[in-house]
PDB file of all heavy atoms in Angstrom:
ATOM      1  N   GLY C 409     -46.743  16.390 -33.308  1.00 86.00           N
ATOM      2  CA  GLY C 409     -46.814  16.706 -34.698  1.00 86.00           C
ATOM      3  C   GLY C 409     -47.714  17.865 -35.046  1.00 86.00           C
ATOM      4  O   GLY C 409     -48.132  18.045 -36.235  1.00 86.00           O
ATOM      5  N   GLY C 410     -48.048  18.686 -34.066  1.00 89.00           N
ATOM      6  CA  GLY C 410     -48.972  19.799 -34.322  1.00 89.00           C
ATOM      7  C   GLY C 410     -48.319  21.152 -34.304  1.00 89.00           C
ATOM      8  O   GLY C 410     -47.093  21.296 -34.149  1.00 89.00           O
ATOM      9  N   THR C 411     -49.097  22.174 -34.438  1.00 91.00           N
ATOM     10  CA  THR C 411     -48.652  23.573 -34.323  1.00 91.00           C
ATOM     11  C   THR C 411     -49.600  24.287 -33.392  1.00 91.00           C
ATOM     12  O   THR C 411     -50.743  23.824 -33.178  1.00 91.00           O
ATOM     13  CB  THR C 411     -48.667  24.293 -35.695  1.00 91.00           C
ATOM     14  OG1 THR C 411     -50.007  24.188 -36.228  1.00 91.00           O
ATOM     15  CG2 THR C 411     -47.699  23.655 -36.666  1.00 91.00           C
ATOM     16  N   ILE C 412     -49.163  25.414 -32.819  1.00 93.00           N
ATOM     17  CA  ILE C 412     -50.026  26.173 -31.890  1.00 93.00           C
ATOM     18  C   ILE C 412     -49.781  27.635 -32.097  1.00 93.00           C
ATOM     19  O   ILE C 412     -48.623  28.064 -32.360  1.00 93.00           O
ATOM     20  CB  ILE C 412     -49.836  25.723 -30.455  1.00 93.00           C
ATOM     21  CG1 ILE C 412     -50.855  26.449 -29.541  1.00 93.00           C
ATOM     22  CG2 ILE C 412     -48.391  25.949 -29.985  1.00 93.00           C
ATOM     23  CD1 ILE C 412     -50.948  25.837 -28.144  1.00 93.00           C
ATOM     24  N   ARG C 413     -50.806  28.442 -31.958  1.00 93.00           N
ATOM     25  CA  ARG C 413     -50.673  29.912 -31.990  1.00 93.00           C
ATOM     26  C   ARG C 413     -51.675  30.513 -31.035  1.00 93.00           C
ATOM     27  O   ARG C 413     -52.740  29.904 -30.762  1.00 93.00           O
ATOM     28  CB  ARG C 413     -50.846  30.419 -33.416  1.00 93.00           C
ATOM     29  CG  ARG C 413     -52.201  30.233 -33.994  1.00 93.00           C
ATOM     30  CD  ARG C 413     -52.279  30.683 -35.443  1.00 93.00           C
ATOM     31  NE  ARG C 413     -53.600  30.356 -35.998  1.00 93.00           N
ATOM     32  CZ  ARG C 413     -53.756  29.974 -37.252  1.00 93.00           C
ATOM     33  NH1 ARG C 413     -52.738  29.884 -38.056  1.00 93.00           N
ATOM     34  NH2 ARG C 413     -54.981  29.704 -37.750  1.00 93.00           N
ATOM     35  N   VAL C 414     -51.368  31.703 -30.580  1.00 93.00           N
ATOM     36  CA  VAL C 414     -52.294  32.383 -29.652  1.00 93.00           C
ATOM     37  C   VAL C 414     -52.587  33.778 -30.229  1.00 93.00           C
ATOM     38  O   VAL C 414     -51.733  34.408 -30.802  1.00 93.00           O
ATOM     39  CB  VAL C 414     -51.729  32.475 -28.220  1.00 93.00           C
ATOM     40  CG1 VAL C 414     -50.394  33.237 -28.224  1.00 93.00           C
ATOM     41  CG2 VAL C 414     -52.720  33.132 -27.278  1.00 93.00           C
ATOM     42  N   SER C 415     -53.835  34.224 -30.095  1.00 92.00           N
ATOM     43  CA  SER C 415     -54.207  35.551 -30.577  1.00 92.00           C
ATOM     44  C   SER C 415     -55.236  36.113 -29.625  1.00 92.00           C
ATOM     45  O   SER C 415     -55.756  35.425 -28.703  1.00 92.00           O
ATOM     46  CB  SER C 415     -54.791  35.432 -32.014  1.00 92.00           C
ATOM     47  OG  SER C 415     -55.888  34.564 -32.014  1.00 92.00           O
ATOM     48  N   GLN C 416     -55.551  37.402 -29.842  1.00 91.00           N
ATOM     49  CA  GLN C 416     -56.600  38.018 -29.064  1.00 91.00           C
ATOM     50  C   GLN C 416     -57.943  37.582 -29.576  1.00 91.00           C
ATOM     51  O   GLN C 416     -58.168  37.639 -30.799  1.00 91.00           O
ATOM     52  CB  GLN C 416     -56.433  39.554 -29.067  1.00 91.00           C
ATOM     53  CG  GLN C 416     -55.255  40.042 -28.294  1.00 91.00           C
ATOM     54  CD  GLN C 416     -55.001  41.537 -28.490  1.00 91.00           C
ATOM     55  OE1 GLN C 416     -55.084  42.030 -29.599  1.00 91.00           O
ATOM     56  NE2 GLN C 416     -54.601  42.189 -27.423  1.00 91.00           N
ATOM     57  N   ASN C 417     -58.809  37.180 -28.691  1.00 87.00           N
ATOM     58  CA  ASN C 417     -60.127  36.715 -29.115  1.00 87.00           C
ATOM     59  C   ASN C 417     -61.033  37.886 -29.407  1.00 87.00           C
ATOM     60  O   ASN C 417     -60.952  38.930 -28.721  1.00 87.00           O
ATOM     61  CB  ASN C 417     -60.739  35.895 -27.952  1.00 87.00           C
ATOM     62  CG  ASN C 417     -61.901  35.025 -28.423  1.00 87.00           C
ATOM     63  OD1 ASN C 417     -62.081  34.764 -29.575  1.00 87.00           O
ATOM     64  ND2 ASN C 417     -62.684  34.579 -27.438  1.00 87.00           N
ATOM     65  N   GLU C 418     -61.847  37.796 -30.422  1.00 85.00           N
ATOM     66  CA  GLU C 418     -62.799  38.889 -30.717  1.00 85.00           C
ATOM     67  C   GLU C 418     -63.716  39.047 -29.564  1.00 85.00           C
ATOM     68  O   GLU C 418     -64.298  38.106 -29.052  1.00 85.00           O
ATOM     69  CB  GLU C 418     -63.623  38.489 -31.977  1.00 85.00           C
ATOM     70  CG  GLU C 418     -62.817  38.507 -33.273  1.00 85.00           C
ATOM     71  CD  GLU C 418     -63.583  37.940 -34.447  1.00 85.00           C
ATOM     72  OE1 GLU C 418     -64.817  38.008 -34.395  1.00 85.00           O
ATOM     73  OE2 GLU C 418     -62.938  37.466 -35.354  1.00 85.00           O
ATOM     74  N   GLY C 419     -63.811  40.301 -29.081  1.00 79.00           N
ATOM     75  CA  GLY C 419     -64.694  40.560 -27.937  1.00 79.00           C
ATOM     76  C   GLY C 419     -63.981  40.392 -26.601  1.00 79.00           C
ATOM     77  O   GLY C 419     -64.594  40.373 -25.542  1.00 79.00           O
ATOM     78  N   GLY C 420     -62.648  40.161 -26.663  1.00 85.00           N
ATOM     79  CA  GLY C 420     -61.870  40.061 -25.446  1.00 85.00           C
ATOM     80  C   GLY C 420     -61.426  38.631 -25.126  1.00 85.00           C
ATOM     81  O   GLY C 420     -61.987  37.668 -25.612  1.00 85.00           O
ATOM     82  N   GLY C 421     -60.353  38.501 -24.347  1.00 91.00           N
ATOM     83  CA  GLY C 421     -59.804  37.197 -23.996  1.00 91.00           C
ATOM     84  C   GLY C 421     -58.786  36.669 -24.932  1.00 91.00           C
ATOM     85  O   GLY C 421     -58.310  37.417 -25.825  1.00 91.00           O
ATOM     86  N   LEU C 422     -58.409  35.409 -24.749  1.00 93.00           N
ATOM     87  CA  LEU C 422     -57.389  34.790 -25.578  1.00 93.00           C
ATOM     88  C   LEU C 422     -57.955  33.641 -26.375  1.00 93.00           C
ATOM     89  O   LEU C 422     -58.932  32.979 -25.926  1.00 93.00           O
ATOM     90  CB  LEU C 422     -56.232  34.230 -24.675  1.00 93.00           C
ATOM     91  CG  LEU C 422     -55.333  35.280 -24.028  1.00 93.00           C
ATOM     92  CD1 LEU C 422     -54.341  34.584 -23.110  1.00 93.00           C
ATOM     93  CD2 LEU C 422     -54.583  36.121 -25.100  1.00 93.00           C
ATOM     94  N   LYS C 423     -57.325  33.405 -27.506  1.00 94.00           N
ATOM     95  CA  LYS C 423     -57.747  32.277 -28.376  1.00 94.00           C
ATOM     96  C   LYS C 423     -56.524  31.433 -28.746  1.00 94.00           C
ATOM     97  O   LYS C 423     -55.638  31.981 -29.367  1.00 94.00           O
ATOM     98  CB  LYS C 423     -58.491  32.759 -29.615  1.00 94.00           C
ATOM     99  CG  LYS C 423     -58.906  31.641 -30.553  1.00 94.00           C
ATOM    100  CD  LYS C 423     -59.882  32.104 -31.628  1.00 94.00           C
ATOM    101  CE  LYS C 423     -59.232  33.064 -32.618  1.00 94.00           C
ATOM    102  NZ  LYS C 423     -60.115  33.380 -33.757  1.00 94.00           N
ATOM    103  N   PHE C 424     -56.501  30.192 -28.286  1.00 95.00           N
ATOM    104  CA  PHE C 424     -55.421  29.295 -28.660  1.00 95.00           C
ATOM    105  C   PHE C 424     -55.920  28.354 -29.751  1.00 95.00           C
ATOM    106  O   PHE C 424     -56.912  27.685 -29.566  1.00 95.00           O
ATOM    107  CB  PHE C 424     -54.964  28.450 -27.434  1.00 95.00           C
ATOM    108  CG  PHE C 424     -54.320  29.245 -26.343  1.00 95.00           C
ATOM    109  CD1 PHE C 424     -55.106  29.830 -25.342  1.00 95.00           C
ATOM    110  CD2 PHE C 424     -52.945  29.432 -26.301  1.00 95.00           C
ATOM    111  CE1 PHE C 424     -54.540  30.584 -24.314  1.00 95.00           C
ATOM    112  CE2 PHE C 424     -52.382  30.167 -25.259  1.00 95.00           C
ATOM    113  CZ  PHE C 424     -53.174  30.770 -24.288  1.00 95.00           C
ATOM    114  N   GLU C 425     -55.219  28.376 -30.868  1.00 95.00           N
ATOM    115  CA  GLU C 425     -55.547  27.458 -31.978  1.00 95.00           C
ATOM    116  C   GLU C 425     -54.368  26.466 -32.170  1.00 95.00           C
ATOM    117  O   GLU C 425     -53.255  26.871 -32.341  1.00 95.00           O
ATOM    118  CB  GLU C 425     -55.779  28.206 -33.254  1.00 95.00           C
ATOM    119  CG  GLU C 425     -56.983  29.169 -33.157  1.00 95.00           C
ATOM    120  CD  GLU C 425     -57.005  30.130 -34.331  1.00 95.00           C
ATOM    121  OE1 GLU C 425     -56.183  31.094 -34.349  1.00 95.00           O
ATOM    122  OE2 GLU C 425     -57.832  29.916 -35.223  1.00 95.00           O
TER     123      GLU C 425
END
Side-chain angles (χ1 to χ4, degrees):
T411 56
I412 185 164
R413 63 184 175 217
V414 60
S415 58
Q416 289 173 319
N417 197 19
E418 290 172 25
L422 288 176
K423 179 167 68 173
F424 294 88
E425 295 168 285

